[in-house]
Amino acid sequence: MFEIVERQEMAQGTVVSNWVKAPKIAKKAKPGQFVILRANEKGERIPLTMADTDPAKGLINIIYQVVGKSTALFKTLKVGDGYLDVIGPLGQPTHLDKVGKVVCVGGGTGVAVVHPITRGLKQVGNQVFAVIGARNKDLLILEDQMRAASHELMVCTDDGSYGHHGFVTDMLKKVLTEHQDIALAVCIGPVPMMKFCCKMTKEFGVKTLVSLNPIMVDGTGMCGCCRVTVGGKRKFACVDGPEFDGHETDFEELTARLKGYLDLEKVSYDEFKAAHGSGKCSCCS
Ligand code: NAD
Ligand code: FES
């Protein structure tokens, strides 16, 4: 069992942070890599990019949004409980090169993914601008951590309840306009956000990395489930990614493939919500 040693609810309980004992993974993991977790033997395998690691304590930090049955099951796990399996580190680490000025953009729970990359890009000597956004102030996560990980942080909310009133793309445009020498953008969040960030950075001629989140099963390149198209070529996000050149990514295909099981996911989540607490669901039985 991979024990949860610290647990925090964020964004009004819709997002949960767990520090999990996984010493071998904590020692090897690099920014941009992910793990696949399973709550119990009947559980679904869920890929999550590590938001942080503490190799000295043998801990990894995962932050997930509660969106369906499996993440709702994860949310039932308290400090002292654990995940049955945690496999990783998986995927290719981010290339943390010194390129000069960079801008890192995180939307919603994508902030958890962009955080270690932002910190890593600062540590190797880049000047790092960061932009984070959420629908409203209560849903914003990791503001203090992103401020520490960057040289300048811009915060946006869709409803104007905190920071700039608008999408992260507004602040991205401001940074790109004011700093014509930005060498790299890293944009991570919901697919429409990544798509529109890339459209903008393409106009400014700035190389852009995105982190793709297709449905995954094995996480080792065997099942083909995480297939994405980048530069007209078939890639597997679990072994070739999860980061790819955003200007080459087929976001329409990714969007379509992510919708493939929405109906079944809804049925499964509704059944879980109805059964949970009655002794009949997989976490209570
Ligand atoms: P959200 O929908 O609340 O959006 C977060 C922010 O992204 C918004 O505040 C806005 O600033 C920006 N944004 C959203 N749509 C935009 C658009 N059309 N144009 C410009 N900016 C836009 O985010 P959420 O509910 O936290 O996101 C959940 C989604 O993100 C899920 O689908 C999840 O799978 C995905 N996600 C992806 C990754 C990844 O690795 N790419 C990581 C975490 C979550
Ligand atoms: Fe199976 Fe990537 S998850 S090939």
Side-chain angles (χ1 to χ4, degrees):
M1 185 184 82
F2 293 80
E3 188 188 345
I4 297 168
V5 298
E6 200 180 313
R7 180 185 183 281
Q8 188 195 352
E9 293 193 5
M10 306 162 148
Q12 298 177 316
T14 60
V15 175
V16 181
S17 165
N18 283 167
W19 279 94
V20 181
K21 249 189 214 167
K24 288 185 183 161
I25 300 175
K27 205 170 160 189
K28 278 188 78 180
K30 297 204 167 64
Q33 290 189 297
F34 67 96
V35 288
I36 291 186
L37 307 99
R38 213 161 53 121
N40 59 33
E41 61 187 13
K42 292 181 194 163
E44 191 185 7
R45 297 159 64 89
I46 300 294
L48 290 172
T49 302
M50 285 167 274
D52 208 345
T53 56
D54 185 336
K57 292 186 182 160
L59 302 176
I60 61 168
N61 180 217
I62 49 138
I63 296 180
Y64 58 87
Q65 189 176 26
V66 180
V67 288
K69 176 187 169 180
S70 295
T71 43
L73 180 57
F74 282 9
K75 196 182 171 188
T76 65
L77 301 175
K78 307 291 180 212
V79 170
D81 294 339
Y83 293 90
L84 180 66
D85 312 312
V86 181
I87 302 162
L90 298 169
Q92 302 296 326
T94 312
H95 292 288
L96 297 172
D97 299 324
K98 186 174 177 185
V99 291
K101 287 185 185 175
V102 305
V103 57
C104 296
V105 186
T109 43
V111 176
V113 181
V114 88
H115 168 246
I117 299 168
T118 308
R119 187 174 55 190
L121 286 166
K122 185 181 176 190
Q123 278 166 353
V124 298
N126 293 293
Q127 186 181 355
V128 181
F129 300 90
V131 181
I132 59 172
R135 270 169 273 152
N136 61 53
K137 185 177 189 290
D138 293 334
L139 298 179
L140 196 68
I141 62 167
L142 303 181
E143 181 187 355
D144 293 344
Q145 291 86 337
M146 283 299 286
R147 202 174 296 285
S150 61
H151 292 94
E152 188 179 335
L153 176 72
M154 283 145 272
V155 180
C156 312
T157 51
D158 300 5
D159 68 353
S161 51
Y162 188 56
H164 169 75
H165 185 175
F167 284 170
V168 288
T169 35
D170 297 349
M171 284 294 128
L172 174 62
K173 187 171 189 177
K174 184 172 182 290
V175 173
L176 294 171
T177 307
E178 290 176 1
H179 302 272
Q180 300 281 334
D181 51 349
I182 294 277
L184 175 72
V186 182
C187 304
I188 305 176
V191 177
M193 182 211 104
M194 295 194 286
K195 182 174 125 178
F196 286 108
C197 284
C198 289
K199 194 166 178 275
M200 183 173 290
T201 56
K202 197 168 187 180
E203 285 165 19
F204 282 84
V206 175
K207 180 183 167 180
T208 303
L209 293 177
V210 292
S211 180
L212 304 185
N213 58 333
I215 296 166
M216 289 189 185
V217 179
D218 66 305
T220 60
M222 307 279 281
C223 71
C225 191
C226 67
R227 192 186 82 224
V228 291
T229 303
V230 181
K233 296 196 179 112
R234 179 181 304 162
K235 300 279 180 189
F236 295 122
C238 66
V239 287
D240 300 319
E243 280 161 32
F244 293 100
D245 181 338
H247 297 163
E248 299 283 336
T249 297
D250 185 339
F251 289 110
E252 311 308 326
E253 180 193 57
L254 176 61
T255 304
R257 286 179 63 80
L258 281 170
K259 284 183 186 157
Y261 299 98
L262 281 185
D263 291 352
L264 291 170
E265 283 168 15
K266 186 178 177 315
V267 171
S268 180
Y269 192 18
D270 287 345
E271 282 174 2
F272 176 83
K273 283 188 278 192
H276 182 56
S278 68
K280 291 181 192 155
C281 67
S282 59
C283 61
C284 305
S285 58

